[in-house]
Amino acid sequence: MSGDFTTLWQWTREKWLPLRPLTPFLASGLTLGAGFCTVRPLRIFLLCLALGLFLEVAADFARTLLDRETGYASYQGPPQTIPVTPAQLALAGALALVYFFMIFAGLAMFFLPSGLGLVLIVLGVLALSSLAAWRNVRLWWREGADYEQALKEESNMSHKLRIPPVR
């Protein structure tokens, strides 16, 4: 029985892997859908599924803080410093607002009568949405800088080997 469960778990992880970058959007969408759902069992199921996806995002975030990054496209690794630009701040702000409104719309249905609960939910969701958005934007910038550095290394190596660059 445990072998079947392990096989099913591995199959599920393989199918989920390409969709992993979309996990925050999917979890936010499920929360939003649960907020508009009138059938209580379906609403609870959607919220439990969204909570599981949010926990996966949180675990991934914690793992990135604890683990050392490996597997770069460049031989030298990513650039040591990546400056914070206004474009990063604007993109992180827009992404945080998208995350916030999608999550808040779903959760507000449960906590709407309670004023204090609503304020705590707003602050908590805003803080977590901002952290998730900033992490995603910085990750995208770091991967972009790593890819640019790998392209520069490849063009330098092609000149040494006298191979014309691919256009």
Side-chain angles (χ1 to χ4, degrees):
M1 184 70 171
S2 89
D4 293 337
F5 180 74
T6 305
T7 305
L8 178 65
W9 180 253
Q10 288 175 350
W11 179 80
T12 306
R13 287 188 66 197
E14 288 173 8
K15 295 298 178 187
W16 180 250
L17 195 59
L19 301 174
R20 203 157 175 212
L22 301 175
T23 303
F25 291 112
L26 186 60
S28 299
L30 286 172
T31 307
L32 181 66
F36 291 111
C37 185
T38 58
V39 181
R40 187 166 180 85
L42 181 60
R43 180 186 318 165
I44 291 171
F45 174 74
L46 290 175
L47 281 175
C48 289
L49 194 59
L51 180 65
L53 291 176
F54 282 130
L55 288 176
E56 182 184 346
V57 170
D60 185 41
F61 180 70
R63 190 179 317 118
T64 59
L65 293 176
L66 299 174
D67 289 345
R68 193 165 187 208
E69 295 181 25
T70 59
Y72 303 112
S74 169
Y75 293 121
Q76 300 171 357
Q80 294 299 323
T81 57
I82 297 175
V84 176
T85 62
Q88 288 178 5
L89 295 174
L91 184 59
L95 197 59
L97 287 176
V98 169
Y99 289 164
F100 171 75
F101 284 119
M102 290 180 73
I103 295 169
F104 181 71
L107 292 178
M109 298 295 195
F110 291 110
F111 300 103
L112 194 58
S114 170
L116 180 61
L118 187 64
V119 168
L120 292 176
I121 290 295
V122 166
L123 295 176
V125 169
L126 186 61
L128 292 176
S129 297
S130 299
L131 286 173
W134 181 249
R135 180 202 172 269
N136 286 342
V137 168
R138 289 297 288 179
L139 182 64
W140 295 336
W141 246 260
R142 183 173 301 281
E143 287 176 355
D146 180 37
Y147 185 68
E148 286 178 13
Q149 187 171 332
L151 287 176
K152 288 177 186 174
E153 288 174 7
E154 185 178 309
S155 68
N156 289 340
M157 291 180 78
S158 68
H159 291 299
K160 290 179 184 177
L161 298 173
R162 296 184 183 160
I163 300 172
V166 178
R167 295 178 200 244

